[in-house]
């Protein structure tokens, strides 16, 4: 049991460092502001908001400068759902912003 606790602790610390680092450096060339502007368009459905919003011009502008291949690497990650992001909506976002997603995404 102690060994499992240590593993979980290390994973939690690693995630905290990753998430905190992404706030400072951005993630996949996308800043916190860029992520925030896109969040309403990719948020998981809730009873209060069953349908996602359309991406804002600010979101699409942030996505233009992002590394889409890098972002694609998160599509099967537990990170997106843990942040309230629907991976299917996130993967559809480039097309909604008239951007071409990576072919292998």
């Amino acid at each position: 049991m102690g060994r499992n606790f240590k593993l979980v602790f290390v994973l939690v610390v690693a995630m905290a460092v990753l998430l905190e680092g992404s706030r400072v450096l951005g993630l996949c060339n996308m800043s916190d502001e860029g992520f925030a502007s896109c969040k309403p368009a990719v948020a998981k459905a809730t009873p209060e908001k069953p349908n996602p919003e359309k991406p804002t011009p600010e979101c699409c502008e942030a996505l233009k400068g992002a590394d889409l291949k890098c972002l694609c690497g998160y599509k099967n990650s537990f990170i997106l759902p843990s942040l309230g992001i629907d991976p299917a909506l996130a993967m559809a976002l480039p097309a909604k912003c008239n951007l071409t997603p990576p072919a292998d995404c």
Side-chain angles (χ1 to χ4, degrees):
M1 179 106 123
R3 184 177 175 152
N4 287 340
F5 176 77
K6 287 180 185 177
L7 179 60
V8 169
F9 179 77
V10 168
L11 288 173
V12 168
V13 170
M15 285 304 304
V17 169
L18 175 67
L19 291 175
E20 189 60 33
S22 73
R23 291 181 188 194
V24 175
L25 302 174
L27 181 65
C28 300
N29 295 335
M30 205 164 167
S31 67
D32 276 355
E33 293 81 17
F35 279 111
S37 67
C38 290
K39 180 96 186 238
V42 297
K44 285 192 244 181
T46 64
E48 298 83 30
K49 282 195 130 184
N51 299 311
E53 296 180 16
K54 290 182 179 183
T56 62
E58 294 80 13
C59 169
C60 291
E61 190 62 33
L63 204 55
K64 268 188 210 173
D67 181 343
L68 297 181
K69 190 166 183 127
C70 173
L71 289 172
C72 185
Y74 289 91
K75 74 178 177 181
N76 295 320
S77 170
F78 71 92
I79 294 174
L80 295 181
S82 71
L83 296 173
I85 296 171
D86 181 323
L89 292 174
M91 294 305 112
L93 197 55
K96 291 180 179 179
C97 288
N98 297 317
L99 299 171
T100 304
D104 56 347
C105 186

